[in-house]
Amino acid sequence: MDATLTLVDTLDEALAMREWLGQRREWLGFDIETTGLIVGRDKIRMVQVGDPDHGWAVPYERWSGLIHDTLGRYDSSAMVAHNALFDLKFLKHDGIIIPTHLVHDTMIMSHLDSPMSANGLKPTCKRIFGPAAGAGELALKLAMQKQKWGWASVPYDFPAYWAYSALDTVLTSKLAETLYPRIASDGRKKIYEVEMGCINVLKDAELAGLQIDLDYVAETRQKLETYMSELEPHIPIKNPNSDKQVLELLQSMGAKLWRRTERGNLSCDDDALIEVAEKAGEGTQLHTLATCLSGWRKSSRLISNYISNFEDMNVDTILRCSVRTVGARTGRMSITQPALQTLPRGPIIRSAFVAREGQSFVLCDYEQLELRVLASYAQEATMLEAIHRDEDLHDFVAGELYGQDFTREQRQVAKNCNFGKAYGAGTATFANTAGISMPEAEKFIHMYDNKFPGVARFQQEVIKQVKERGYVETILGRKIPVEKDKAYKGTNYLVQSSATADLLKLKIVECSNAGLHDYFRLPIHDELMFEIPDDFVEEGARIVQEVMTERDLFNCPLTASPEIVKNWGDKYK
């Protein structure tokens, strides 16, 4: 890229940067380099600013006062970062607060512009500007490998490091020049504003973090490890976590396996092991083996995926996870460090999270959110009437198709079919998840389509739209590309994105605007978590419920129910 890059290493260079910052420009790019990813433990090493013509790299330890005095007071133009959530939270933790109304994010712009493309800075720049935009990336990587440097140890004055860092702000500002007009001109500005509002709330939520009960974590590790050691004598293989070894052992003992993974391989997941145990019958050797395998593997995952991460990632008992706001094509959020959106059911892991003294958690989740969104889009009258009567949709469908004396197993079939329709699943997938034969699945889907024709009609309309224009568009204007040869997936993308991307992010922003900004902690699928002082918690829960309940965007109410607990696990006991 044709731009001047400068390492601020002298007073003259610092004064030159201050003068440069006073010039008029459309976009000021900003970025940071850190020693790691955990706020409160890792530190800022470098702060960079730039526009399309000039990039500056500022060693933070030497020139922190300069950054506080310039970046902390800058208000001359729009400021843009790539993955602003990361930069903003580190800067604020160090006392540098950038006004919300100035901040933009090219990662969000990139995602909205091309949801199927990798939205990292370098991949986006290569897509927009060509391969030359990635210059310097490989050289820095090879040099760091050769010298055995990490991001915490590479010398700040190593040319490939500081130039690479300064160039990022040049690229970011050029991206904003290119992408923002696209987003603003074709109906996606509203969803962009929601995304940016959500980032502002999440920044402070991540800084606040969640408190971990480390004594409980240690006790849980000990219990799980003891339980695993008790099971090991009943498991005659070296590595119970090896699917290959488990499958060979089960088949050698005559187990009939039929569940398949998404890639078509035989599955030995928890559901498969439970089925093996049930079919073998209590008291048999196969039942004992499958039960012990299931228990051992579950416990192993709990330790490696959660317990160990809680121990390693907390800072003075506070766990600050990272939310990726556009972690999927549909715009759904994902959580890492650790993965709190994939917590197992039940209280075991969630009980590690406790509200701070004098506060309580408010957990508010939607009732059958995606199914209600599906019914709304499909304009399926009978389902909408049931929703307005506040009926459980799984009960309703089971009652309509099996009669009101339906069994628990029949309700499960209805539930799997409901979700199959929402997710665009085929007959084979439905049969597999519902645990019924293909003829039974075909018969049930035929009855379902006859009883609820709006759903099937909607699915066909979505397929037609995808084949005509190559994308679906959500209620807030998010455009999600769908491969034309997989047009059936359009229903899933549309429903999922409208429910757990657009709506949930909109409600995070609205809750913040309703006075709950400081109390928000975490988004979890179709649920929002708050931590509210006890003397305000009842009123806070009422406000959360009132704001989260949506009555205008869709053809049916999307209702939410709050619960107040001192310990996250209490909700699941």
Side-chain angles (χ1 to χ4, degrees), residues 368 370-371 374-375 383 392-398 401 411-425 430 444-445 448 452 455 459 491 495:
Q368 299 181 327
E370 291 179 330
L371 295 183
L374 172 66
M383 285 186 174
D392 179 285
L393 280 180
H394 303 318
D395 286 349
F396 173 72
V397 170
L401 299 183
R411 182 187 184 278
Q412 188 65 28
V413 172
K415 178 178 179 179
N416 278 284
C417 190
N418 276 334
F419 283 126
K421 291 292 183 179
Y423 300 152
F430 166 51
F444 190 88
I445 289 176
Y448 189 104
F452 310 113
V455 176
Q459 289 179 304
T491 299
V495 170

Side-chain angles (χ1 to χ4, degrees), residues 20-21 23-30 49-54 74 76-81 101-106 109 169-184 189 192 196:
W20 173 85
L21 280 170
Q23 299 171 9
R24 294 179 62 86
R25 58 180 54 83
E26 183 180 8
W27 296 98
L28 177 73
F30 70 97
V49 291
D51 63 18
D53 300 313
H54 203 142
Y74 187 85
S76 302
S77 66
M79 301 177 69
V80 61
H101 69 279
L102 294 179
V103 177
H104 290 264
D105 191 335
T106 47
M109 297 179 199
T169 61
V170 174
L171 293 170
T172 299
S173 58
K174 287 181 71 67
L175 269 184
E177 284 185 340
T178 302
L179 292 177
Y180 186 72
R182 295 185 191 176
I183 302 304
K189 188 174 181 181
Y192 175 75
M196 292 308 303

Side-chain angles (χ1 to χ4, degrees), residues 194 366 501-513 520 528 530 546-551 553 558:
V194 170
Y366 284 98
D502 289 17
L503 179 73
L504 213 63
K505 291 175 181 177
L506 177 64
K507 293 307 176 181
I508 289 173
V509 175
E510 290 182 351
C511 283
S512 171
N513 294 338
F520 181 70
L528 299 183
F530 299 79
E546 181 179 309
V547 173
M548 286 183 64
T549 296
E550 177 57 54
R551 302 187 183 278
L553 282 177
L558 306 180

Side-chain angles (χ1 to χ4, degrees), residues 23-303:
Q23 299 171 9
R24 294 179 62 86
R25 58 180 54 83
E26 183 180 8
W27 296 98
L28 177 73
F30 70 97
D31 188 24
I32 64 173
E33 304 297 335
T34 63
T35 59
L37 304 176
I38 299 177
V39 176
R41 177 184 300 173
D42 293 303
K43 298 179 180 180
I44 299 173
R45 294 201 70 208
M46 189 93 75
V47 175
Q48 306 91 254
V49 291
D51 63 18
D53 300 313
H54 203 142
W56 303 78
V58 185
Y60 188 66
E61 186 174 347
R62 298 189 64 188
W63 298 97
S64 61
L66 174 65
I67 296 301
H68 280 261
D69 193 45
T70 54
L71 194 61
R73 297 183 181 183
Y74 187 85
D75 61 357
S76 302
S77 66
M79 301 177 69
V80 61
H82 199 87
N83 191 12
L85 178 54
F86 179 84
D87 302 308
L88 290 172
K89 67 183 179 183
F90 265 89
L91 289 168
K92 184 170 182 178
H93 185 267
D94 234 49
I96 301 172
I97 301 174
I98 297 177
T100 302
H101 69 279
L102 294 179
V103 177
H104 290 264
D105 191 335
T106 47
M107 188 174 78
I108 302 299
M109 297 179 199
S110 173
H111 172 80
L112 293 176
D113 180 65
S114 184
M116 291 176 64
S117 301
N119 57 27
L121 178 60
K122 292 303 189 295
T124 300
C125 289
K126 290 176 183 178
R127 174 171 64 86
I128 301 294
F129 303 129
E137 184 177 19
L138 180 59
L140 175 60
K141 182 178 179 181
L142 292 175
M144 291 178 67
Q145 288 177 345
K146 181 179 180 180
Q147 299 295 334
K148 297 183 179 179
W149 289 329
W151 292 110
S153 58
V154 55
Y156 75 85
D157 57 355
F158 180 60
Y161 173 60
W162 71 257
Y164 170 90
S165 302
L167 181 61
D168 281 354
T169 61
V170 174
L171 293 170
T172 299
S173 58
K174 287 181 71 67
L175 269 184
E177 284 185 340
T178 302
L179 292 177
Y180 186 72
R182 295 185 191 176
I183 302 304
S185 65
D186 69 352
R188 287 176 289 185
K189 188 174 181 181
K190 181 176 182 179
I191 190 62
Y192 175 75
E193 290 173 348
V194 170
E195 292 279 4
M196 292 308 303
C198 190
I199 283 175
N200 179 49
V201 184
L202 288 168
K203 167 198 65 184
D204 292 327
E206 290 188 17
L207 285 173
L210 293 169
Q211 184 169 265
I212 293 284
D213 183 344
L214 291 178
D215 290 337
Y216 174 83
V217 171
E219 292 170 4
T220 303
R221 172 186 282 278
Q222 184 177 19
K223 289 178 182 178
L224 291 171
E225 289 176 345
T226 299
Y227 178 55
M228 291 168 67
S229 66
E230 293 171 350
L231 296 177
E232 284 168 358
H234 305 283
I235 305 174
I237 52 177
K238 186 176 182 179
N239 181 12
N241 275 326
S242 166
D243 287 351
K244 182 176 183 294
Q245 292 182 32
V246 169
L247 287 170
E248 289 176 352
L249 176 61
L250 291 172
Q251 290 174 325
S252 71
M253 296 182 64
K256 303 297 182 183
L257 297 160
W258 59 275
R259 282 188 177 270
R260 297 277 176 178
T261 66
E262 290 184 359
R263 295 185 176 182
N265 300 320
L266 283 175
S267 171
C268 57
D269 63 10
D270 290 335
D271 289 335
L273 291 172
I274 289 171
E275 287 173 358
V276 168
E278 289 176 347
K279 289 181 179 179
E282 289 190 27
T284 64
Q285 187 178 7
L286 190 54
H287 180 280
T288 299
L289 173 63
T291 302
C292 290
L293 278 169
S294 176
W296 194 98
R297 285 160 68 101
K298 284 180 181 178
S299 299
S300 176
R301 287 197 302 272
L302 292 180
I303 292 173

